[in-house]
Amino acid sequence: MSTIAPFKNIVFGEHSAEIEKVESPSLVETAYFDESGYLGALLGSSKFLILGTKGSGKSTLIQKIISTQAYDKQITSNDLNQFPFSNFQSAGFSGSIGKEQTLPKSWTWILVIQLLWSLYEDQGRSPNSDYDKFMQGLRQIGFAPATKFDDIVQQTRDSKSILHGPSIEFDALFGVNATVNTFKYDRNTNQNKDINFSKLVDYAMTILLQQKSENKHYILIDGLDRALFSEKNSYDSISALVSECSHLNQQFREGSNPFKIIIACRTDLFDKLPLYNSNAIRNTYSLVLDWHDDHRDIYKSRLIKLANYRAAATLQSEVNIFNIYFKKIIEVQGRERLTAAYILYHTRNTPRDLIMALKFIQESSTGDNIPITTSEIITGLTKYSENYFVHEVEDELKGHISETDIEKTIQSLRFFGRNRFQSKKFTDQMESLGITEEHATHILKLLFDASAIGNLIVKADGQLRPVSRHYSSSARLVLSSDIIVHRGLWKAFDYV
């Protein structure tokens, strides 16, 4: 036993992919668990949209793709956490063509220009004189290689008054004399500016579709979550982005062009987008990160395998941490359970939840006890509940309801003192805090979608069966059935 490395020494991961990239950068390269083949599906098929709940591994998958960059694979990554979605139309290219056309054209322009710059240093690119003239013209009027969307927006704004036909040989395209300024900002002829911008986008797209290369070029887009906390018109902008990415990817496939755009998006955000073809995109082009497995054989769970895979990277050998560091059975309140299952039941079946549960158990263990004691496990899961899980639920509600309503929601859940209650009890309690029954019911649905609560459904044989989103993504809240609070909240709410 003395030769076994302390449990505390194992690096399972961090609170987020962003923190992990800084604190444990080798994890993505050496310990990325992909039994489901997510990476291959994104790079080798028509799927381009990564969907998943918070903590399901979307950003980690993006980081993994970035780590695969090589001489024949050029990757440009965009974190849109600070991108001005709500005023993108006015900040970038608005005008008389209207929002319906401005947003799609603006996103196409940004994506196409970024891909054109990605090609600029590509030694495997086939020679093309139109491309060379176009890029030379962009440089002449102030454009420069840009790896951020914000830079392309700013360069476009700065160049509105100096884009000339002769500089990029646009005279034939626009049908004007070469001596005429074709993209000049004029307060009195706003329409001319917009028509020319639309044609400029089309021309840039024509140039891009002519390009062939031995190498692949990827644009990765992450950081859309912040849109949940901004104005609702952000949804229009993101809808246009997703729609244009789908359209562009389709053209790239049809033309055998070496380009692909990949987006990571939270499922609850995608569900809010006013996309006319959302169902087609979801069913045909999305990759849904779903980690729920049949728990009848807990050791075959991909989440348990993920924990072991990450532990193996630290210990430099294949390992089952639940055999080495834990007793197989844990007894809590007179009931025996498999220890691996007991820990997993405190999660919403996401990698981030399990990683954080294990980290809190690590912090609560002395490092000398093997196996880890029941007391250490419960202490760790109590801290996990209080310091992580309850705040994750609060974060899930942000952007949907006000901070005040979130406080009242948590207060009401604490009020019951037990993990099972009827929906009417909740709405009555919320009404006593000034929340209408209708709004309280809406909050219950949000809690259900966040896997903070579930239902107890009576089966045909009279047995009760828990139903929740973290067990089945298609589950829906049934107000007439009893509500059960997720086990991850019990210790924070003093239910146990």
Side-chain angles (χ1 to χ4, degrees), residues 59 68 84 111 113-114 122 159 195 252 302 371 430 445 452 455:
S59 295
T68 67
L111 294 163
I113 291 299
Q114 192 168 79
D122 184 352
S159 301
I195 290 174
F252 298 154
R302 285 170 296 156
M430 291 289 277
K445 292 177 181 177
N455 276 132

Side-chain angles (χ1 to χ4, degrees), residues 194-446:
D194 296 319
I195 290 174
N196 290 335
F197 173 68
S198 178
K199 290 182 178 179
L200 177 62
V201 175
D202 292 341
Y203 185 69
M205 185 64 187
T206 299
I207 295 294
L208 182 66
L209 292 177
Q210 292 175 2
Q211 306 312 305
K212 302 295 181 182
S213 174
E214 300 171 356
N215 307 320
K216 293 285 291 183
H217 294 258
Y218 294 91
I219 288 180
L220 309 182
I221 302 172
D222 198 5
L224 300 183
D225 294 8
R226 195 181 63 82
L228 287 167
F229 311 105
S230 56
E231 298 177 15
K232 288 188 176 181
N233 56 0
S234 297
Y235 298 159
D236 291 331
S237 183
I238 296 176
S239 293
L241 170 61
V242 173
S243 183
E244 287 309 293
C245 287
S246 177
H247 178 63
L248 289 172
N249 281 328
Q250 182 177 350
Q251 292 191 72
F252 298 154
R253 290 193 303 276
E254 291 173 351
S256 298
N257 299 109
F259 314 122
K260 185 168 187 177
I261 307 165
I262 295 172
I263 309 177
C265 182
R266 267 171 60 170
T267 307
D268 55 342
L269 173 58
F270 183 79
D271 289 341
K272 283 177 168 288
L273 300 181
L275 273 168
Y276 77 92
N277 59 342
S278 62
N279 194 45
I281 290 177
R282 181 195 295 270
N283 289 316
T284 307
Y285 299 121
S286 76
L287 182 72
V288 181
L289 306 188
D290 184 355
W291 290 86
H292 173 60
D293 291 316
D294 188 340
H295 287 175
R296 284 176 293 186
D297 188 344
I298 196 68
Y299 299 110
K300 290 184 179 180
S301 161
R302 285 170 296 156
L303 288 174
I304 297 299
K305 291 180 180 180
L306 179 149
N308 288 327
Y309 194 77
R310 290 208 158 184
T314 299
L315 302 175
Q316 296 296 300
S317 64
E318 189 173 330
V319 64
N320 184 335
I321 61 171
F322 297 98
N323 286 342
I324 295 177
Y325 295 99
F326 297 91
K327 293 179 181 178
K328 183 176 182 180
I329 302 296
I330 185 172
E331 183 177 338
V332 181
Q333 295 180 323
R335 183 177 176 184
E336 292 185 342
R337 301 176 179 86
L338 288 171
T339 302
Y342 179 71
I343 295 172
L344 196 57
Y345 290 158
H346 285 76
T347 76
R348 292 163 295 178
N349 288 323
T350 66
R352 197 61 54 192
D353 281 2
L354 181 59
I355 286 169
M356 293 307 295
L358 292 171
K359 281 177 69 68
F360 278 103
I361 293 172
Q362 283 180 308
E363 292 174 6
S364 300
S365 66
T366 63
D368 299 325
N369 293 324
I370 297 178
I372 297 166
T373 67
T374 297
S375 175
E376 289 172 335
I377 293 172
I378 292 180
T379 298
L381 290 176
T382 298
K383 292 179 179 179
Y384 160 84
S385 179
E386 295 172 342
N387 300 327
Y388 168 78
F389 202 93
V390 69
H391 299 302
E392 285 294 298
V393 171
E394 290 171 343
D395 285 349
E396 292 272 10
L397 297 177
K398 290 177 181 177
H400 298 284
I401 57 177
S402 69
E403 293 284 350
T404 301
D405 288 353
I406 292 174
E407 291 178 9
K408 292 178 178 179
T409 299
I410 299 301
Q411 180 182 341
S412 294
L413 290 175
R414 290 183 188 275
F415 170 80
F416 296 114
R418 59 196 303 264
N419 59 38
R420 179 179 173 184
F421 53 85
Q422 295 176 334
S423 61
K424 186 67 167 60
K425 293 283 187 182
F426 179 82
T427 56
D428 286 348
Q429 172 60 20
M430 291 289 277
E431 282 189 275
S432 73
L433 299 175
I435 303 294
T436 65
E437 180 180 1
E438 181 180 5
H439 190 47
T441 300
H442 171 63
I443 292 173
L444 275 176
K445 292 177 181 177
L446 292 174

Side-chain angles (χ1 to χ4, degrees), residues 77-92:
S77 178
N78 299 278
D79 185 347
L80 302 192
N81 187 50
Q82 300 299 321
F83 192 81
F85 289 110
S86 59
N87 64 351
F88 173 48
Q89 185 182 353
S90 59

Side-chain angles (χ1 to χ4, degrees), residues 162-172 174-184 192 196:
I162 56 173
L163 273 166
H164 297 282
S167 66
I168 322 180
E169 299 185 357
F170 279 154
D171 48 309
F174 291 115
V176 296
N177 187 283
T179 61
V180 178
N181 186 336
T182 63
F183 198 63
K184 183 175 181 180
N192 290 336
N196 290 335

